[in-house]
Amino acid sequence: MALAKFVDPLPIPAVLKPKGYLACAAYYEVRMRQVKQKLHRDLPETTVWAYEGVYPGPTFEVLRHERVKVRWVNDLPDEHLLPVDRTVHGAHPPNPLVRTVVHLHGGEVPAYSDGHPEAWFTRDFREVGPHFRSVVYFYPNIQRPATLWYHDHALGITRLNVYAGLAGFYLIRDAFELELNLPGGRFEIPLVIQDRSFNADGSLFYPRQPDPPVPGVDPSIVPEFFGDTILVNGKVWPYLEVEPRKYRFRLLNGSNSRFYLLSFTSGQPFIQIGTDGGLLEAPVPVAELTLAPGERADVVVDFSAFAGETIRLVNGAAAPFPGGDPPTEDTSQVMEFRVTLPLSEPDTSTVPSSLRPIERFSPAAAALTRDLALVEAQDPFGRLLLLLDGKRWSAPVSEKPRLGSVEVWRLINLTEDAHPIHLHLVQFQILERRPFDVDRYRSRRELVFTGPPVPPDPNERGLKDTVRANPGQVTSIIARFGAFAGQYVWHCHILEHEDHEMMRPYEVVPVPLCTKFGPVPPGPKRRAILQRQFLNEACDVPDP
Ligand code: C2O
Ligand code: CU
Ligand code: CU
């Protein structure tokens, strides 16, 4: 079905207000509901699942160090909106069809608030998953200001829950960033880009089966999903009227499988100022911006030289990425900017040439280097299975970094596609990517490099929680594991992969206050340990 492009204005998600204030935290309540929403002028209303009844959900605006508690409530029906494959992990009977759990993507939060895939819950918390710990989540916001997002993470149906609409923005700010005088207020807009397909009646289309179908499994998970329609902030191919001045856009790829290679038809660059985990050290002009599922880019776009013009945001990424089919006439279009509004006031915002220093982790400081291969396998139904280090979700935890320690993870991609690898809890840094002999590794498990290391792109030299692991390359990342101990997960952010075993638990192991040499003596080390434990435990107090 061909829908007219650029006929609906871009919606901007509302900012969420706290319900009240607890002793030392802002308290929010967010309900997931099934609602009907108009996603395009010519499309009948679409049934979606939405936080607070709006897709995408409302935006959290918080300050660094502000303590935030959220009671996430599932008010969804008992039947799923989309076809659930009961053969994938977590979705087997007798587990309920509709399960939800909310994850703050990019958030440095205590484990019980992380939205562990098995911490799911059903309507009114009637049933909960084996990893369920708390009804109220605590977000300490101790990390750098950043563009985070929250979305569903229930084991085995994440792809369906997110596709149904369960995603929203979470922005952390602080005084330092405010003083930079970047474009703000109504000139700062979050943009979540997602692909969807529709049936003629306006309902969401999500395949029941891959093509060709899998005998004996119905519905069956698909290896990846690419929609034929692009939405921004929940509208199909919207337009935005802008003034001839600078704007700040928080770009998020909230698609299940689709990568984007974004550019402007005006030829102007994005001035990228931030990555997943916050500001870059200095702005980077980017003509073509790659955004993998889960990734964010904080950018400034200057329309001042384009008064009266119409500029389109377009996409050139192949699907699957990078070796698949080029985008179609439809999927190559994202949204339109019309520089038609008069300048309401002089643009006094700035993009400082230096933004925020970043402390680099040195591989010399790493306690450990882990080699983790991304491999292809087959499930019992003959379907392609993509695994992390050859292990399934249910295999015992194998990655157990010590709280506070630095580790290097080498992601050895033996598959044909790029996988956006995401670690919960930490913001890491990309060290390098390096081509290697895939066949040699497959047959003999020997890592032989076939070229020199390539440094990360200039716009990747910041804090990241999701990284493109390209095929035929070893992507090395480095992180300090903290500030909390407990069980987290790491996974591919192609949601069809994540739901089909391309996800693993990992555990940050606490440093004991007492060692075999006796208690850790008073001093900064003991204080640091205590502080972390305080944060871990103080938040465990249940709320009314
Ligand atoms: Cu955005 Cu574990 O996910
Ligand atoms: Cu995450
Ligand atoms: Cu993947």
Side-chain angles (χ1 to χ4, degrees), residues 513-544:
L513 261 186
C514 286
T515 67
K516 62 181 170 186
F517 309 110
V520 178
K525 192 166 174 199
R526 186 181 175 89
R527 267 204 306 280
I529 296 172
L530 278 170
Q531 228 160 37
R532 279 167 194 155
Q533 286 183 354
F534 171 75
L535 272 171
N536 261 327
E537 282 154 21
C539 320
D540 263 329
V541 183
D543 282 293

PDB file of all heavy atoms in Angstrom, residues 513-544:
ATOM      1  N   LEU A 513      33.622  -6.936  51.053  1.00  0.00           N
ATOM      2  CA  LEU A 513      34.198  -6.021  52.036  1.00  0.00           C
ATOM      3  C   LEU A 513      35.224  -6.742  52.893  1.00  0.00           C
ATOM      4  O   LEU A 513      36.104  -6.148  53.472  1.00  0.00           O
ATOM      5  CB  LEU A 513      33.083  -5.467  52.922  1.00  0.00           C
ATOM      6  CG  LEU A 513      32.557  -4.085  52.588  1.00  0.00           C
ATOM      7  CD1 LEU A 513      31.578  -3.632  53.638  1.00  0.00           C
ATOM      8  CD2 LEU A 513      33.683  -3.076  52.448  1.00  0.00           C
ATOM      9  N   CYS A 514      35.065  -8.046  52.995  1.00  0.00           N
ATOM     10  CA  CYS A 514      36.031  -8.848  53.724  1.00  0.00           C
ATOM     11  C   CYS A 514      36.697  -9.793  52.740  1.00  0.00           C
ATOM     12  O   CYS A 514      36.025 -10.418  51.927  1.00  0.00           O
ATOM     13  CB  CYS A 514      35.346  -9.675  54.807  1.00  0.00           C
ATOM     14  SG  CYS A 514      34.859  -8.672  56.195  1.00  0.00           S
ATOM     15  N   THR A 515      37.990  -9.864  52.785  1.00  0.00           N
ATOM     16  CA  THR A 515      38.704 -10.807  51.947  1.00  0.00           C
ATOM     17  C   THR A 515      39.316 -11.850  52.875  1.00  0.00           C
ATOM     18  O   THR A 515      39.164 -11.771  54.095  1.00  0.00           O
ATOM     19  CB  THR A 515      39.826 -10.115  51.164  1.00  0.00           C
ATOM     20  OG1 THR A 515      40.816  -9.694  52.106  1.00  0.00           O
ATOM     21  CG2 THR A 515      39.295  -8.914  50.400  1.00  0.00           C
ATOM     22  N   LYS A 516      40.037 -12.777  52.283  1.00  0.00           N
ATOM     23  CA  LYS A 516      40.657 -13.789  53.154  1.00  0.00           C
ATOM     24  C   LYS A 516      41.766 -13.173  54.002  1.00  0.00           C
ATOM     25  O   LYS A 516      42.237 -13.768  54.958  1.00  0.00           O
ATOM     26  CB  LYS A 516      41.174 -14.962  52.309  1.00  0.00           C
ATOM     27  CG  LYS A 516      42.234 -14.594  51.314  1.00  0.00           C
ATOM     28  CD  LYS A 516      42.655 -15.815  50.508  1.00  0.00           C
ATOM     29  CE  LYS A 516      43.548 -15.372  49.349  1.00  0.00           C
ATOM     30  NZ  LYS A 516      43.910 -16.405  48.428  1.00  0.00           N
ATOM     31  N   PHE A 517      42.170 -11.939  53.643  1.00  0.00           N
ATOM     32  CA  PHE A 517      43.170 -11.258  54.472  1.00  0.00           C
ATOM     33  C   PHE A 517      42.509 -10.386  55.529  1.00  0.00           C
ATOM     34  O   PHE A 517      43.149  -9.570  56.161  1.00  0.00           O
ATOM     35  CB  PHE A 517      44.081 -10.384  53.595  1.00  0.00           C
ATOM     36  CG  PHE A 517      44.657 -11.121  52.427  1.00  0.00           C
ATOM     37  CD1 PHE A 517      44.256 -10.850  51.129  1.00  0.00           C
ATOM     38  CD2 PHE A 517      45.626 -12.112  52.626  1.00  0.00           C
ATOM     39  CE1 PHE A 517      44.784 -11.534  50.049  1.00  0.00           C
ATOM     40  CE2 PHE A 517      46.153 -12.801  51.547  1.00  0.00           C
ATOM     41  CZ  PHE A 517      45.738 -12.516  50.266  1.00  0.00           C
ATOM     42  N   GLY A 518      41.200 -10.533  55.704  1.00  0.00           N
ATOM     43  CA  GLY A 518      40.501  -9.701  56.672  1.00  0.00           C
ATOM     44  C   GLY A 518      39.734  -8.595  55.979  1.00  0.00           C
ATOM     45  O   GLY A 518      39.700  -8.535  54.752  1.00  0.00           O
ATOM     46  N   PRO A 519      39.096  -7.731  56.780  1.00  0.00           N
ATOM     47  CA  PRO A 519      38.269  -6.684  56.195  1.00  0.00           C
ATOM     48  C   PRO A 519      39.102  -5.665  55.410  1.00  0.00           C
ATOM     49  O   PRO A 519      40.277  -5.459  55.729  1.00  0.00           O
ATOM     50  CB  PRO A 519      37.602  -6.022  57.410  1.00  0.00           C
ATOM     51  CG  PRO A 519      38.355  -6.486  58.600  1.00  0.00           C
ATOM     52  CD  PRO A 519      39.128  -7.711  58.238  1.00  0.00           C
ATOM     53  N   VAL A 520      38.506  -5.083  54.406  1.00  0.00           N
ATOM     54  CA  VAL A 520      39.182  -4.010  53.675  1.00  0.00           C
ATOM     55  C   VAL A 520      39.329  -2.835  54.635  1.00  0.00           C
ATOM     56  O   VAL A 520      38.339  -2.375  55.204  1.00  0.00           O
ATOM     57  CB  VAL A 520      38.360  -3.601  52.437  1.00  0.00           C
ATOM     58  CG1 VAL A 520      39.020  -2.448  51.700  1.00  0.00           C
ATOM     59  CG2 VAL A 520      38.165  -4.798  51.512  1.00  0.00           C
ATOM     60  N   PRO A 521      40.558  -2.340  54.864  1.00  0.00           N
ATOM     61  CA  PRO A 521      40.758  -1.284  55.878  1.00  0.00           C
ATOM     62  C   PRO A 521      40.075   0.014  55.464  1.00  0.00           C
ATOM     63  O   PRO A 521      39.832   0.243  54.280  1.00  0.00           O
ATOM     64  CB  PRO A 521      42.280  -1.113  55.910  1.00  0.00           C
ATOM     65  CG  PRO A 521      42.776  -1.647  54.612  1.00  0.00           C
ATOM     66  CD  PRO A 521      41.799  -2.696  54.166  1.00  0.00           C
ATOM     67  N   PRO A 522      39.775   0.861  56.461  1.00  0.00           N
ATOM     68  CA  PRO A 522      39.163   2.153  56.153  1.00  0.00           C
ATOM     69  C   PRO A 522      40.030   2.921  55.156  1.00  0.00           C
ATOM     70  O   PRO A 522      41.239   2.799  55.170  1.00  0.00           O
ATOM     71  CB  PRO A 522      39.131   2.863  57.514  1.00  0.00           C
ATOM     72  CG  PRO A 522      39.281   1.791  58.537  1.00  0.00           C
ATOM     73  CD  PRO A 522      40.043   0.673  57.893  1.00  0.00           C
ATOM     74  N   GLY A 523      39.413   3.664  54.305  1.00  0.00           N
ATOM     75  CA  GLY A 523      40.149   4.391  53.270  1.00  0.00           C
ATOM     76  C   GLY A 523      39.276   4.520  52.050  1.00  0.00           C
ATOM     77  O   GLY A 523      38.128   4.079  52.060  1.00  0.00           O
ATOM     78  N   PRO A 524      39.822   5.086  51.004  1.00  0.00           N
ATOM     79  CA  PRO A 524      39.002   5.345  49.804  1.00  0.00           C
ATOM     80  C   PRO A 524      38.427   4.072  49.197  1.00  0.00           C
ATOM     81  O   PRO A 524      37.307   4.061  48.695  1.00  0.00           O
ATOM     82  CB  PRO A 524      39.976   6.030  48.831  1.00  0.00           C
ATOM     83  CG  PRO A 524      41.333   5.932  49.430  1.00  0.00           C
ATOM     84  CD  PRO A 524      41.183   5.621  50.877  1.00  0.00           C
ATOM     85  N   LYS A 525      39.190   2.965  49.274  1.00  0.00           N
ATOM     86  CA  LYS A 525      38.714   1.738  48.660  1.00  0.00           C
ATOM     87  C   LYS A 525      37.461   1.219  49.369  1.00  0.00           C
ATOM     88  O   LYS A 525      36.465   0.876  48.748  1.00  0.00           O
ATOM     89  CB  LYS A 525      39.826   0.678  48.703  1.00  0.00           C
ATOM     90  CG  LYS A 525      39.495  -0.511  47.823  1.00  0.00           C
ATOM     91  CD  LYS A 525      40.693  -1.384  47.576  1.00  0.00           C
ATOM     92  CE  LYS A 525      40.240  -2.630  46.811  1.00  0.00           C
ATOM     93  NZ  LYS A 525      41.211  -3.711  46.917  1.00  0.00           N
ATOM     94  N   ARG A 526      37.551   1.223  50.695  1.00  0.00           N
ATOM     95  CA  ARG A 526      36.395   0.747  51.469  1.00  0.00           C
ATOM     96  C   ARG A 526      35.198   1.671  51.264  1.00  0.00           C
ATOM     97  O   ARG A 526      34.064   1.223  51.128  1.00  0.00           O
ATOM     98  CB  ARG A 526      36.772   0.676  52.954  1.00  0.00           C
ATOM     99  CG  ARG A 526      35.679   0.061  53.809  1.00  0.00           C
ATOM    100  CD  ARG A 526      36.052   0.012  55.285  1.00  0.00           C
ATOM    101  NE  ARG A 526      34.911  -0.476  56.054  1.00  0.00           N
ATOM    102  CZ  ARG A 526      34.674  -1.759  56.298  1.00  0.00           C
ATOM    103  NH1 ARG A 526      35.492  -2.678  55.841  1.00  0.00           N
ATOM    104  NH2 ARG A 526      33.623  -2.115  56.993  1.00  0.00           N
ATOM    105  N   ARG A 527      35.510   2.972  51.230  1.00  0.00           N
ATOM    106  CA  ARG A 527      34.422   3.941  51.015  1.00  0.00           C
ATOM    107  C   ARG A 527      33.731   3.694  49.677  1.00  0.00           C
ATOM    108  O   ARG A 527      32.505   3.717  49.575  1.00  0.00           O
ATOM    109  CB  ARG A 527      34.960   5.368  51.071  1.00  0.00           C
ATOM    110  CG  ARG A 527      34.857   5.986  52.467  1.00  0.00           C
ATOM    111  CD  ARG A 527      34.834   7.510  52.395  1.00  0.00           C
ATOM    112  NE  ARG A 527      35.962   8.064  51.653  1.00  0.00           N
ATOM    113  CZ  ARG A 527      37.181   8.221  52.156  1.00  0.00           C
ATOM    114  NH1 ARG A 527      37.436   7.853  53.419  1.00  0.00           N
ATOM    115  NH2 ARG A 527      38.140   8.733  51.431  1.00  0.00           N
ATOM    116  N   ALA A 528      34.542   3.437  48.664  1.00  0.00           N
ATOM    117  CA  ALA A 528      33.979   3.227  47.330  1.00  0.00           C
ATOM    118  C   ALA A 528      33.076   1.994  47.320  1.00  0.00           C
ATOM    119  O   ALA A 528      31.982   2.008  46.770  1.00  0.00           O
ATOM    120  CB  ALA A 528      35.098   3.081  46.303  1.00  0.00           C
ATOM    121  N   ILE A 529      33.554   0.934  47.974  1.00  0.00           N
ATOM    122  CA  ILE A 529      32.755  -0.295  48.020  1.00  0.00           C
ATOM    123  C   ILE A 529      31.447  -0.039  48.766  1.00  0.00           C
ATOM    124  O   ILE A 529      30.358  -0.399  48.315  1.00  0.00           O
ATOM    125  CB  ILE A 529      33.546  -1.434  48.715  1.00  0.00           C
ATOM    126  CG1 ILE A 529      34.801  -1.787  47.901  1.00  0.00           C
ATOM    127  CG2 ILE A 529      32.666  -2.658  48.909  1.00  0.00           C
ATOM    128  CD1 ILE A 529      35.726  -2.765  48.605  1.00  0.00           C
ATOM    129  N   LEU A 530      31.580   0.648  49.901  1.00  0.00           N
ATOM    130  CA  LEU A 530      30.388   0.910  50.709  1.00  0.00           C
ATOM    131  C   LEU A 530      29.386   1.765  49.960  1.00  0.00           C
ATOM    132  O   LEU A 530      28.185   1.519  50.030  1.00  0.00           O
ATOM    133  CB  LEU A 530      30.791   1.610  52.009  1.00  0.00           C
ATOM    134  CG  LEU A 530      31.285   0.682  53.107  1.00  0.00           C
ATOM    135  CD1 LEU A 530      31.885   1.469  54.255  1.00  0.00           C
ATOM    136  CD2 LEU A 530      30.140  -0.195  53.621  1.00  0.00           C
ATOM    137  N   GLN A 531      29.919   2.758  49.262  1.00  0.00           N
ATOM    138  CA  GLN A 531      29.038   3.657  48.538  1.00  0.00           C
ATOM    139  C   GLN A 531      28.206   2.895  47.512  1.00  0.00           C
ATOM    140  O   GLN A 531      27.012   3.088  47.388  1.00  0.00           O
ATOM    141  CB  GLN A 531      29.870   4.694  47.806  1.00  0.00           C
ATOM    142  CG  GLN A 531      29.365   6.097  48.025  1.00  0.00           C
ATOM    143  CD  GLN A 531      30.451   7.099  47.727  1.00  0.00           C
ATOM    144  OE1 GLN A 531      31.235   6.896  46.798  1.00  0.00           O
ATOM    145  NE2 GLN A 531      30.500   8.152  48.500  1.00  0.00           N
ATOM    146  N   ARG A 532      28.886   2.009  46.794  1.00  0.00           N
ATOM    147  CA  ARG A 532      28.172   1.223  45.783  1.00  0.00           C
ATOM    148  C   ARG A 532      27.130   0.348  46.445  1.00  0.00           C
ATOM    149  O   ARG A 532      26.013   0.220  45.965  1.00  0.00           O
ATOM    150  CB  ARG A 532      29.155   0.352  45.017  1.00  0.00           C
ATOM    151  CG  ARG A 532      29.856   1.150  43.958  1.00  0.00           C
ATOM    152  CD  ARG A 532      31.023   0.393  43.428  1.00  0.00           C
ATOM    153  NE  ARG A 532      31.848   1.322  42.674  1.00  0.00           N
ATOM    154  CZ  ARG A 532      33.133   1.176  42.472  1.00  0.00           C
ATOM    155  NH1 ARG A 532      33.759   0.138  42.964  1.00  0.00           N
ATOM    156  NH2 ARG A 532      33.800   2.048  41.770  1.00  0.00           N
ATOM    157  N   GLN A 533      27.516  -0.251  47.571  1.00  0.00           N
ATOM    158  CA  GLN A 533      26.557  -1.146  48.203  1.00  0.00           C
ATOM    159  C   GLN A 533      25.388  -0.366  48.757  1.00  0.00           C
ATOM    160  O   GLN A 533      24.262  -0.810  48.719  1.00  0.00           O
ATOM    161  CB  GLN A 533      27.249  -1.987  49.260  1.00  0.00           C
ATOM    162  CG  GLN A 533      28.083  -3.020  48.558  1.00  0.00           C
ATOM    163  CD  GLN A 533      28.773  -3.969  49.468  1.00  0.00           C
ATOM    164  OE1 GLN A 533      28.739  -3.809  50.671  1.00  0.00           O
ATOM    165  NE2 GLN A 533      29.417  -4.958  48.883  1.00  0.00           N
ATOM    166  N   PHE A 534      25.671   0.852  49.220  1.00  0.00           N
ATOM    167  CA  PHE A 534      24.587   1.682  49.717  1.00  0.00           C
ATOM    168  C   PHE A 534      23.590   1.931  48.589  1.00  0.00           C
ATOM    169  O   PHE A 534      22.400   1.745  48.743  1.00  0.00           O
ATOM    170  CB  PHE A 534      25.126   3.000  50.251  1.00  0.00           C
ATOM    171  CG  PHE A 534      24.035   3.975  50.570  1.00  0.00           C
ATOM    172  CD1 PHE A 534      23.266   3.810  51.711  1.00  0.00           C
ATOM    173  CD2 PHE A 534      23.740   5.021  49.723  1.00  0.00           C
ATOM    174  CE1 PHE A 534      22.232   4.686  51.991  1.00  0.00           C
ATOM    175  CE2 PHE A 534      22.707   5.894  49.995  1.00  0.00           C
ATOM    176  CZ  PHE A 534      21.945   5.738  51.135  1.00  0.00           C
ATOM    177  N   LEU A 535      24.126   2.311  47.441  1.00  0.00           N
ATOM    178  CA  LEU A 535      23.234   2.583  46.313  1.00  0.00           C
ATOM    179  C   LEU A 535      22.444   1.338  45.953  1.00  0.00           C
ATOM    180  O   LEU A 535      21.266   1.398  45.652  1.00  0.00           O
ATOM    181  CB  LEU A 535      24.042   3.048  45.106  1.00  0.00           C
ATOM    182  CG  LEU A 535      24.288   4.554  45.053  1.00  0.00           C
ATOM    183  CD1 LEU A 535      25.263   4.896  43.956  1.00  0.00           C
ATOM    184  CD2 LEU A 535      22.991   5.312  44.848  1.00  0.00           C
ATOM    185  N   ASN A 536      23.126   0.199  45.998  1.00  0.00           N
ATOM    186  CA  ASN A 536      22.448  -1.045  45.660  1.00  0.00           C
ATOM    187  C   ASN A 536      21.320  -1.349  46.630  1.00  0.00           C
ATOM    188  O   ASN A 536      20.259  -1.779  46.240  1.00  0.00           O
ATOM    189  CB  ASN A 536      23.439  -2.215  45.708  1.00  0.00           C
ATOM    190  CG  ASN A 536      23.933  -2.558  44.324  1.00  0.00           C
ATOM    191  OD1 ASN A 536      23.199  -2.417  43.359  1.00  0.00           O
ATOM    192  ND2 ASN A 536      25.161  -3.005  44.233  1.00  0.00           N
ATOM    193  N   GLU A 537      21.608  -1.146  47.916  1.00  0.00           N
ATOM    194  CA  GLU A 537      20.664  -1.613  48.918  1.00  0.00           C
ATOM    195  C   GLU A 537      19.623  -0.569  49.270  1.00  0.00           C
ATOM    196  O   GLU A 537      18.456  -0.897  49.442  1.00  0.00           O
ATOM    197  CB  GLU A 537      21.410  -2.058  50.181  1.00  0.00           C
ATOM    198  CG  GLU A 537      22.018  -3.431  49.978  1.00  0.00           C
ATOM    199  CD  GLU A 537      23.230  -3.664  50.849  1.00  0.00           C
ATOM    200  OE1 GLU A 537      23.368  -2.962  51.858  1.00  0.00           O
ATOM    201  OE2 GLU A 537      24.029  -4.550  50.502  1.00  0.00           O
ATOM    202  N   ALA A 538      20.034   0.679  49.335  1.00  0.00           N
ATOM    203  CA  ALA A 538      19.079   1.724  49.730  1.00  0.00           C
ATOM    204  C   ALA A 538      17.887   1.715  48.799  1.00  0.00           C
ATOM    205  O   ALA A 538      16.793   2.092  49.171  1.00  0.00           O
ATOM    206  CB  ALA A 538      19.756   3.081  49.703  1.00  0.00           C
ATOM    207  N   CYS A 539      18.127   1.281  47.593  1.00  0.00           N
ATOM    208  CA  CYS A 539      17.046   1.311  46.612  1.00  0.00           C
ATOM    209  C   CYS A 539      16.171   0.083  46.713  1.00  0.00           C
ATOM    210  O   CYS A 539      15.149  -0.008  46.055  1.00  0.00           O
ATOM    211  CB  CYS A 539      17.632   1.351  45.221  1.00  0.00           C
ATOM    212  SG  CYS A 539      19.039   2.387  45.142  1.00  0.00           S
ATOM    213  N   ASP A 540      16.600  -0.869  47.509  1.00  0.00           N
ATOM    214  CA  ASP A 540      15.831  -2.102  47.592  1.00  0.00           C
ATOM    215  C   ASP A 540      14.644  -1.969  48.528  1.00  0.00           C
ATOM    216  O   ASP A 540      13.850  -2.876  48.656  1.00  0.00           O
ATOM    217  CB  ASP A 540      16.730  -3.251  48.055  1.00  0.00           C
ATOM    218  CG  ASP A 540      17.220  -4.042  46.860  1.00  0.00           C
ATOM    219  OD1 ASP A 540      16.470  -4.109  45.876  1.00  0.00           O
ATOM    220  OD2 ASP A 540      18.327  -4.575  46.910  1.00  0.00           O
ATOM    221  N   VAL A 541      14.548  -0.839  49.213  1.00  0.00           N
ATOM    222  CA  VAL A 541      13.428  -0.621  50.121  1.00  0.00           C
ATOM    223  C   VAL A 541      12.153  -0.514  49.288  1.00  0.00           C
ATOM    224  O   VAL A 541      12.066   0.321  48.410  1.00  0.00           O
ATOM    225  CB  VAL A 541      13.640   0.679  50.918  1.00  0.00           C
ATOM    226  CG1 VAL A 541      12.525   0.872  51.921  1.00  0.00           C
ATOM    227  CG2 VAL A 541      14.992   0.664  51.593  1.00  0.00           C
ATOM    228  N   PRO A 542      11.200  -1.377  49.547  1.00  0.00           N
ATOM    229  CA  PRO A 542       9.987  -1.314  48.727  1.00  0.00           C
ATOM    230  C   PRO A 542       9.199  -0.035  49.008  1.00  0.00           C
ATOM    231  O   PRO A 542       9.261   0.505  50.095  1.00  0.00           O
ATOM    232  CB  PRO A 542       9.193  -2.548  49.153  1.00  0.00           C
ATOM    233  CG  PRO A 542       9.765  -2.955  50.459  1.00  0.00           C
ATOM    234  CD  PRO A 542      11.146  -2.409  50.578  1.00  0.00           C
ATOM    235  N   ASP A 543       8.496   0.427  48.011  1.00  0.00           N
ATOM    236  CA  ASP A 543       7.706   1.645  48.146  1.00  0.00           C
ATOM    237  C   ASP A 543       6.246   1.310  48.377  1.00  0.00           C
ATOM    238  O   ASP A 543       5.816   0.207  48.085  1.00  0.00           O
ATOM    239  CB  ASP A 543       7.854   2.477  46.884  1.00  0.00           C
ATOM    240  CG  ASP A 543       9.167   3.201  46.890  1.00  0.00           C
ATOM    241  OD1 ASP A 543       9.329   4.079  47.737  1.00  0.00           O
ATOM    242  OD2 ASP A 543      10.046   2.850  46.072  1.00  0.00           O
ATOM    243  N   PRO A 544       5.505   2.257  48.911  1.00  0.00           N
ATOM    244  CA  PRO A 544       4.079   2.003  49.168  1.00  0.00           C
ATOM    245  C   PRO A 544       3.340   1.644  47.888  1.00  0.00           C
ATOM    246  O   PRO A 544       3.666   2.160  46.850  1.00  0.00           O
ATOM    247  CB  PRO A 544       3.564   3.334  49.718  1.00  0.00           C
ATOM    248  CG  PRO A 544       4.585   4.358  49.329  1.00  0.00           C
ATOM    249  CD  PRO A 544       5.888   3.636  49.256  1.00  0.00           C
TER     250      PRO A 544
END
